[in-house]
Amino acid sequence: MESEGRVMAASTPRPPESCNRPTGWSTTKIRTVSPRRGGHAGERRHSMAGPGVVTAPDGGWGWVVLVATILVLALTLAFPSCVGIFYTDLQNEFHASNSETSWVPSIMTSVLHAGGPFCSVLVERLGCRATVMLGGVLSGLGMAASSFTQSIGQLYVTAGVITGLGFCFSFQPAVTILGHYFVRRRAFANAMSSTGTALGLCTLPFLGNYLHEEFGWRGSFLVLGAVLLNCCVCGAVMRPLEPPVRRGQPLMNQGPPSPEEGPVRKETGWAKMIWSYVVASFSKHMAFDQFCNNPRYCVFSIGITWMMLGFVVPLIYLVPYATANNMEQGRAAMLLSILGIVNIVVRPPFGIIFSMPWFKGRHIYVFAAALLVNGISNSVPCIGPSFTVLLVYVVIYGLSMSVVGSLMFTVLMDIVEMNRFPSSLGLLAIMESITLLIGPPLAGVLIDRTGHYFQVYFACSAVVASAAVFLIVSFCWLDKKDRKSSKQTQPSALPEPARLPAADVAPDCQYRSVPTEGDKDNASANGAEHITSV
């Protein structure tokens, strides 16, 4: 027996220690690949790929999804800032104060972000494509119903809640599916998608001003509701990523279902069952564990939440500020369009620059520095309400806003795992919605009491700049702490074995914790590649 064991050991090739074979996989051939000969990151290899593994195309149909995401962001994120064109008409129609009227874009923007957990549930149940299309229907119906409202309170419900919820259902799934279509070019794809906001800021003011002159605010809202239905068309092209079908392979890892996958056992009481379901849903769709255990996500969430208190307020009050100082409505709307043009021109090259290797790990500092410039620029309108001063302001604001918009989702994807991105975005959106809700009304109260707009810009400058300083100081401290701890920990002599990323795909949802091309490249970087066959 001992001699037979030696013969079998001599005739059977053994894999290197750095390439442990995952349990349940049939490996018949092992090929060692040097790092230089292993191919580039974009090469599609099916090494270490098992059933259910989805490969990020980083192109192909992803470019169509990118264009659709740009249009969705143009119709959703930029829309609340353009409500200022109808600001004076709403005040005169409903005899409302600045504070009361400002609740319309405030509720719209707040619901757009606060609906994140509901959107996450719909994405799991229906998928990204159907959720985006549902959002287009809701937002279109909300704006169409707003044209028939008879009070400012009804406008809060139709334009604020219904339209804002539709924006949320369209915007967040579009960003989520884009992150799964692009891995190597993710920074570039996010920067390009953020140009959608700039595209909306460039075109919607002109469209809104033209509709306002031709049809009034009621007719404009009706036409804009029809325009928002184009989100359904954009959602239709966002087809889900599906794993490659391999025929002839045996069923592997098909053991008995885990307790989580099996049928839920009936609890003794309905109250206990409902409470367990609520707790499980909150923990799944809102990343409280990330907020408590991931200090970088915690710091980023707090900084962004504080930033949103004064980030969108200047855009909402830009047109009223200009028209209150005897500027024509057309020239005031042109300022928002110039802001959008600056973003469109600047964001694509910024996306290419930020995709360079040097910026890897430094995205948060570029983001915070641009946010600091954005905060300081809000003090420029305090110099005077002339067109030249406001033109300089929108150019500086647009440059800094383009960097902030290009890197916001990239930074979030850097500090959390991709399978936790939807839930992390959902919790961040909930936190943002609080400050987005109270920001414009607080500014309206300040205007009603003082009678001046420039004090609002001073307050916004202080809020945004302080949030930028908080992010810079906090992340510098966290990086210093990580470097100190890494020096104290001795690196192991042997490299860690290549492990297969765990696929934690939720039922009926193709956008959760799927190993992408970047995961496989990292796994094969240790110098070995598994070729699996039957």
Side-chain angles (χ1 to χ4, degrees):
M1 294 291 293
E2 185 175 356
S3 61
E4 291 178 2
R6 291 174 181 172
V7 171
M8 293 179 64
S11 60
T12 304
R14 295 182 178 178
E17 295 182 359
S18 61
C19 299
N20 293 343
R21 178 167 55 91
T23 305
W25 288 66
S26 60
T27 304
T28 59
K29 181 180 178 182
I30 299 173
R31 177 161 54 97
T32 303
V33 181
S34 62
R36 292 185 180 180
R37 296 174 57 188
H40 55 83
E43 183 181 356
R44 294 189 180 182
R45 293 184 302 253
H46 295 287
S47 60
M48 297 191 67
V53 176
V54 177
T55 302
D58 270 305
W61 190 257
W63 299 119
V64 179
V65 176
L66 175 59
V67 174
T69 304
I70 291 174
L71 295 177
V72 168
L73 266 62
L75 294 173
T76 57
L77 293 186
F79 195 91
S81 300
C82 301
V83 178
I85 296 175
F86 311 99
Y87 199 87
T88 305
D89 284 345
L90 296 179
Q91 279 185 306
N92 298 331
E93 178 76 18
F94 301 116
H95 306 286
S97 63
N98 282 286
S99 178
E100 292 173 339
T101 309
S102 63
W103 279 103
V104 176
S106 177
I107 295 175
M108 183 186 296
T109 308
S110 178
V111 174
L112 190 157
H113 292 79
F118 303 101
C119 182
S120 181
V121 173
L122 286 177
V123 168
E124 180 184 356
R125 299 281 182 176
L126 306 176
C128 287
R129 170 190 280 176
T131 307
V132 173
M133 297 175 71
L134 176 62
V137 173
L138 274 180
S139 58
L141 290 178
M143 285 305 297
S146 299
S147 63
F148 300 100
T149 54
Q150 300 298 324
S151 66
I152 193 71
Q154 295 176 3
L155 202 62
Y156 293 161
V157 177
T158 55
V161 178
I162 299 177
T163 305
L165 198 62
F167 287 164
C168 175
F169 290 169
S170 295
F171 149 65
Q172 293 194 17
V175 175
T176 300
I177 193 175
L178 186 67
H180 288 283
Y181 264 92
F182 291 90
V183 175
R184 290 185 299 109
R185 298 168 176 163
R186 181 172 291 165
F188 175 74
N190 285 333
M192 288 299 298
S193 67
S194 66
T195 59
T197 307
L199 180 64
L201 288 174
C202 179
T203 56
L204 288 179
F206 279 121
L207 177 62
N209 189 49
Y210 171 77
L211 294 175
H212 176 262
E213 293 177 353
E214 295 291 331
F215 306 106
W217 74 270
R218 292 187 183 273
S220 300
F221 279 17
L222 187 62
V223 175
L224 289 174
V227 172
L228 292 176
L229 291 176
N230 286 281
C231 290
C232 300
V233 181
C234 297
V237 303
M238 295 179 180
R239 65 189 185 194
L241 286 172
E242 297 180 355
V245 179
R246 299 184 180 183
R247 299 179 180 178
Q249 290 194 355
L251 295 176
M252 295 179 287
N253 295 334
Q254 296 293 332
S258 61
E260 294 81 3
E261 297 173 353
V264 180
R265 288 185 297 181
K266 212 171 184 179
E267 299 291 344
T268 55
W270 285 101
K272 186 176 181 180
M273 184 176 64
I274 295 175
W275 175 253
S276 301
Y277 177 78
V278 170
V279 171
S281 298
F282 265 88
S283 61
K284 183 175 184 179
H285 300 293
M286 298 184 68
F288 287 111
D289 58 330
Q290 291 287 319
F291 188 81
C292 297
N293 302 323
N294 188 341
R296 295 180 181 274
Y297 176 72
C298 179
V299 168
F300 185 71
S301 301
I302 294 174
I304 295 300
T305 302
W306 178 248
M307 174 201 79
M308 287 299 178
L309 185 63
F311 187 72
V312 299
V313 172
L315 298 182
I316 294 176
Y317 285 99
L318 181 61
V319 174
Y321 175 48
T323 54
N325 290 275
N326 302 321
M327 186 181 295
E328 296 179 1
Q329 180 86 11
R331 299 192 75 188
M334 188 185 300
L335 292 172
L336 287 177
S337 300
I338 294 174
L339 175 65
I341 293 173
V342 171
N343 278 263
I344 291 176
V345 173
V346 168
R347 291 199 187 199
F350 276 176
I352 297 174
I353 294 173
F354 297 147
S355 299
M356 293 181 178
W358 186 87
F359 286 97
K360 187 176 180 61
R362 298 181 174 91
H363 289 144
I364 181 60
Y365 296 107
V366 180
F367 173 85
L371 191 61
L372 181 61
V373 175
N374 185 274
I376 296 174
S377 68
N378 286 326
S379 59
V380 174
C382 303
I383 300 175
S386 64
F387 182 81
T388 304
V389 173
L390 295 181
L391 178 62
V392 173
Y393 165 65
V394 296
V395 170
I396 300 175
Y397 187 96
L399 290 173
S400 57
M401 180 187 179
S402 62
V403 180
V404 172
S406 300
L407 292 178
M408 179 175 290
F409 297 119
T410 303
V411 172
L412 183 58
M413 292 176 184
D414 287 344
I415 61 181
V416 299
E417 297 177 357
M418 193 58 205
N419 65 317
R420 301 309 310 277
F421 176 76
S423 57
S424 301
L425 180 60
L427 179 59
L428 177 60
I430 286 286
M431 297 173 63
E432 289 176 352
S433 65
I434 299 174
T435 50
L436 285 171
L437 179 64
I438 64 177
L442 286 178
V445 171
L446 185 61
I447 295 171
D448 289 335
R449 291 188 176 183
T450 62
H452 299 287
Y453 284 89
F454 70 89
Q455 296 185 3
V456 171
Y457 286 90
F458 266 132
C460 293
S461 179
V463 169
V464 177
S466 61
V469 173
F470 168 76
L471 288 174
I472 293 174
V473 173
S474 300
F475 273 89
C476 284
W477 179 76
L478 289 173
D479 287 341
K480 184 178 179 181
K481 183 180 178 181
D482 289 344
R483 286 193 297 266
K484 186 177 180 181
S485 61
S486 63
K487 289 181 181 179
Q488 294 176 354
T489 305
Q490 296 294 334
S492 56
L494 295 176
E496 294 185 1
R499 297 177 182 177
L500 181 70
D504 184 22
V505 185
D508 301 328
C509 182
Q510 293 87 3
Y511 311 103
R512 294 292 185 275
S513 186
V514 288
T516 55
E517 185 71 28
D519 300 325
K520 294 186 290 181
D521 292 335
N522 294 335
S524 63
N526 290 331
E529 182 177 9
H530 290 274
I531 309 299
T532 61
S533 60
V534 181

